[in-house]
Amino acid sequence: MITFPGPASALVALPVAPDRDGIARVLGLERCAREALPDLRATIPAFNRLLVEGAPDSWDPEEIESALAAAAERCLAEEPRVDTGDAVILPVCYDADLAPDLQEVAVHAGLDAGDVARLHSGRRYAVLATGFAPGFAYMGDVDARIALPRLATPRARVETGSVGIADRRTGVYPAAGPGGWRLIGRVPAPLFADAAERIARFRPGGTVEFRPIERDEYEAAGG
């Protein structure tokens, strides 16, 4: 489906799940769109959608829609190029006082806290989108057993580096601020100290792995 949310922008929603394969197909669509419409100012991939922005003085909605429809058909017919490169490795401490929702997640799953940490850190996640805050990456999918919805009432302050779960997504808060995700651990804050670096670290389609560390390692790393 193609819609036009602005005078020089178009949003393409692919009929695929917003998961690892979905973002891979969106990135394929982005490549095709760039080839077909070289004058685009920006393309923003996220989950199973692609937003494209062009120059108002050369924006032809019929031409844009035709080119994007052809690009979408092409990328849906091809096998998605799933990222097989090196993952970003993030050390995370799952100590209880750094993970205020870890026990609740464990009770919900019928597991102990250590099992939740092992399930969370035991898989490679795809970056499905970035946003909410500079350097925040929506990653998926967490094991269904430890998936919980956001808190009904968000916290007024979540510390930098906090690792959260919201439904089948996981992410790391790049800066302190309000947030409603279930907090199950924390990455040493210095890893997110440089704004430009934290923004560049995550890109849609890239992959991330969490490496469990002990409290002394966390503190030695500046936590």
Side-chain angles (χ1 to χ4, degrees):
M1 183 174 67
I2 302 173
T3 57
F4 293 88
S9 62
L11 180 66
V12 187
L14 295 180
V16 296
D19 56 13
R20 184 187 303 267
D21 282 353
I23 190 62
R25 289 193 183 280
V26 169
L27 294 174
L29 171 61
E30 182 181 40
R31 289 189 291 270
C32 292
R34 285 286 187 180
E35 292 172 2
L37 301 165
D39 294 333
L40 290 178
R41 286 184 171 179
T43 53
I44 304 172
F47 300 111
N48 57 359
R49 301 182 178 193
L50 179 71
L51 178 69
V52 302
E53 298 179 350
D57 57 354
S58 61
W59 186 263
D60 183 331
E62 291 187 2
E63 177 188 355
I64 297 295
E65 184 170 18
S66 176
L68 291 178
E73 183 177 354
R74 176 180 163 190
C75 81
L76 288 170
E78 298 174 348
E79 283 297 313
R81 300 183 198 172
V82 175
D83 189 313
T84 57
D86 293 338
V88 173
I89 307 297
L90 293 176
V92 55
C93 181
Y94 295 95
D95 267 20
D97 62 330
L98 302 175
D101 299 313
L102 182 62
Q103 189 57 40
E104 182 181 359
V105 174
V107 170
H108 169 80
L111 304 167
D112 63 35
D115 290 329
V116 173
R118 282 188 287 275
L119 286 173
H120 181 260
S121 62
R123 57 176 57 191
R124 174 177 284 201
Y125 296 98
V127 177
L128 305 177
T130 57
F132 165 64
F136 186 91
Y138 294 83
M139 310 174 211
D141 284 345
V142 302
D143 189 292
R145 287 171 287 180
I146 61 172
L148 275 176
R150 293 172 174 81
L151 297 170
T153 302
R155 291 181 171 89
R157 180 181 174 88
V158 174
E159 296 300 328
T160 301
S162 293
V163 179
I165 288 175
D167 298 312
R168 298 293 301 279
R169 309 288 182 241
T170 189
V172 183
Y173 285 83
W181 289 34
R182 311 276 178 160
L183 306 182
I184 62 166
R186 197 178 299 172
V187 173
L191 291 180
F192 289 86
D194 185 287
E197 181 181 347
R198 71 177 183 240
I199 292 170
R201 182 182 292 131
F202 304 112
R203 56 181 177 78
T207 54
V208 177
E209 293 180 5
F210 293 96
R211 179 176 65 85
I213 59 174
E214 299 298 331
R215 185 58 178 264
D216 58 347
E217 293 179 84
Y218 171 81
E219 293 178 354

